[in-house]
Amino acid sequence: MKISNRRSSTGGRRTSAAVALSAVLALTATACGDDGSGGAGGDKGAEGSGTGKIVFWDNNGGVRTDIWKEIIADFEKANPDIKVEYVGIPSTDYQSKVDTAIQGGGLPDVGGVGAAMLAGFAAQGALEPLDDRLGKSSLNSKLNEDMVASLKAASGGDGKLYSIPTSANNGVLYYRTDLFKKAGLDEPTTWHKFYEAADKLTNAKKNEFGYTIRGGAGSIAQALDAMYGQSGITSFWNGDKTTVNDPKNVAALEKYAALYKKVTPAADLNNDFTKMVAQWDSGTIGMLNHNLGSYQDHVKALGTDKFRGIPQPVGSDGKRVQVSNPVDGIGLFKSSKNKEATWKFIEFATSHEENSKFNESAGQVPANNDAAKDAWISKAEPTKLAAAALTDGSTTIVQLPYYLPDWNTISKADNEPNFQKLLNGDLSAKEFLDTMADQLNEAQAEWKQRNG
């Protein structure tokens, strides 16, 4: 089956988001603050009075709504002359909402800006550089240097900081210790043991499966993690060409995609992370690849004695390779008419106490260095193990090209439908990866041309 590699231009992609404007008019109308916030990308905004109302868009609405409302309540108590309007947006809709507001107006004062979306927003002139504000802030030298560096690297090439990090959300292999013990299986610390367990724990007639694969929204990052983890390739680029379609990666993806419907539920084809996590928590599925963000969901559903969350399996050489999970953060939109009050909120939300509170709820690694020393981390085993794996030399990280303005579109809208075709057998792993490689090589060439 032949697939066209032709794709729309970068500019066409961005402006196409405006077509969806009518679908979000209600949202953007509520996002316009009384102080004049709610501009479009490129608007210069103003410092404002430092009081009044600001609008915050949560990039993981629903999942993180409760903890953000708690932080907002703390902030408003400490700053009674500032009111924060919360707007929760599901993670799957967030980029399109922001892109539409950049083109047509209605941007908030502040919102979630993780590494995966940062370059696209920055390229459209929507974000305020935060280097000077951070340098004069109580947060200066209090934030994890690697997370700050990751967000600077993801900015698109100008080396500026457009988002203050809140957390790192590492990939984790969750497995049911009770099911493994019953089947006499070893912990899935290697890819060989992972595949062995996936097969042995499957009894489709009893609705028992060894693994749940992510086939819906967000599928590409998980597939890349499994692919590079098995191939052992440690760089996303070889010169100016991507390694995604290296023969070793093709073979690894073939093996991984073959798990679908053999050792996984058929429903996995359309599962985003919320459906996948809910399915694992309520069923008899042996293993789940997700990130630290779902740890608390598993605790609520299963307790702490029926599962573990461990770093990704190691290869046959004993080495672990993982793709970089995006650092999350919050950014100040340039069009804000109340930047002084907005920065106060960003400072507060990433302070020791509030950043610790947020990450304990989310089960993620805190960006605030003081928060990262708090006692709860030693009790949250997956977070503790993930943090150790990043610092003990056991893990090599393949840095994904978040700096490419097209990265989020290529890794989502352009290829998630093709990944479903791959799972269904309508597309080979080589065709899938060759298509993605062509898109990435073109995007890289365009980026290098713009940035000299």
Side-chain angles (χ1 to χ4, degrees), residues 279-314:
Q279 177 179 261
W280 192 73
D281 286 344
S282 62
T284 51
I285 299 174
M287 294 176 290
L288 161 76
N289 272 119
H290 192 231
N291 54 47
L292 293 169
S294 60
Y295 172 66
Q296 294 296 342
D297 294 320
H298 308 322
V299 171
K300 290 175 185 176
L302 301 169
T304 57
D305 60 342
K306 291 184 179 179
F307 81 96
R308 286 192 77 197
I310 61 175
Q312 293 284 61
V314 299

Side-chain angles (χ1 to χ4, degrees), residues 154-388:
S155 67
D158 65 5
K160 294 180 180 178
L161 182 67
Y162 291 100
S163 180
I164 299 300
T166 55
S167 56
N169 199 8
N170 291 72
V172 175
L173 178 60
Y174 294 104
Y175 75 98
R176 289 283 299 270
T177 52
D178 55 342
L179 300 181
F180 270 68
K181 183 178 180 180
K182 183 178 179 181
L185 288 166
D186 293 335
E187 188 174 53
T189 53
T190 69
W191 283 104
H192 174 75
K193 291 179 179 179
F194 165 83
Y195 282 104
E196 180 183 45
D199 184 63
K200 191 167 183 178
L201 291 171
T202 298
N203 187 336
K205 292 180 180 179
K206 294 184 178 180
N207 203 34
E208 297 172 352
F209 297 96
Y211 185 59
T212 174
I213 197 168
R214 187 168 181 171
S219 59
I220 303 301
Q222 181 171 307
L224 291 176
D225 209 12
M227 191 172 81
Y228 278 92
Q230 294 174 80
S231 72
I233 295 171
T234 57
S235 176
F236 197 81
W237 300 102
N238 182 7
D240 291 333
K241 301 297 182 183
T242 181
T243 59
V244 294
N245 60 339
D246 182 283
K248 291 181 180 179
N249 276 335
V250 172
L253 186 60
E254 283 177 346
K255 189 172 184 180
Y256 179 73
L259 293 172
Y260 175 61
K261 285 204 296 189
K262 180 183 177 184
V263 299
T264 80
D268 282 0
L269 185 69
N270 297 304
N271 278 358
D272 59 12
F273 85 91
T274 53
K275 294 175 183 175
M276 183 178 67
V277 166
Q279 177 179 261
W280 192 73
D281 286 344
S282 62
T284 51
I285 299 174
M287 294 176 290
L288 161 76
N289 272 119
H290 192 231
N291 54 47
L292 293 169
S294 60
Y295 172 66
Q296 294 296 342
D297 294 320
H298 308 322
V299 171
K300 290 175 185 176
L302 301 169
T304 57
D305 60 342
K306 291 184 179 179
F307 81 96
R308 286 192 77 197
I310 61 175
Q312 293 284 61
V314 299
S316 56
D317 59 358
K319 297 178 181 179
R320 180 182 299 107
V321 177
Q322 285 189 243
V323 301
S324 52
N325 285 278
V327 174
D328 206 4
I330 45 180
L332 197 169
F333 286 97
K334 189 182 292 185
S335 60
S336 170
K337 303 300 190 293
N338 203 349
K339 294 178 184 178
E340 184 180 338
T342 302
W343 176 250
K344 288 180 183 177
F345 175 70
I346 293 174
E347 274 189 308
F348 185 87
T350 51
S351 65
H352 176 182
E353 183 178 350
E354 301 302 318
N355 190 239
S356 184
K357 185 181 297 185
F358 175 85
N359 282 287
E360 183 174 11
S361 171
Q364 297 171 183
V365 181
N368 187 292
N369 291 326
D370 292 329
K373 299 172 185 176
D374 286 349
W376 66 265
I377 288 183
S378 63
K379 300 175 184 177
E381 186 188 39
T383 304
K384 180 181 178 181
L385 293 176

Side-chain angles (χ1 to χ4, degrees), residues 118 122-123 127 129 131 151-162 403 447 451:
L118 197 158
L127 296 169
D131 304 81
L151 290 178
K152 282 189 175 184
S155 67
D158 65 5
K160 294 180 180 178
L161 182 67
Y162 291 100
Y403 59 85
W447 180 82
N451 292 275

Side-chain angles (χ1 to χ4, degrees), residues 109-148:
D109 298 280
V110 58
V113 182
M117 297 182 185
L118 197 158
F121 297 163
Q124 297 175 82
L127 296 169
E128 178 91 353
L130 300 174
D131 304 81
D132 289 345
R133 294 178 193 270
L134 178 60
K136 300 172 184 176
S137 166
S138 59
L139 290 175
N140 192 30
S141 77
K142 293 289 187 179
L143 299 176
N144 182 288
E145 291 183 2
D146 289 336
M147 295 188 202
V148 172

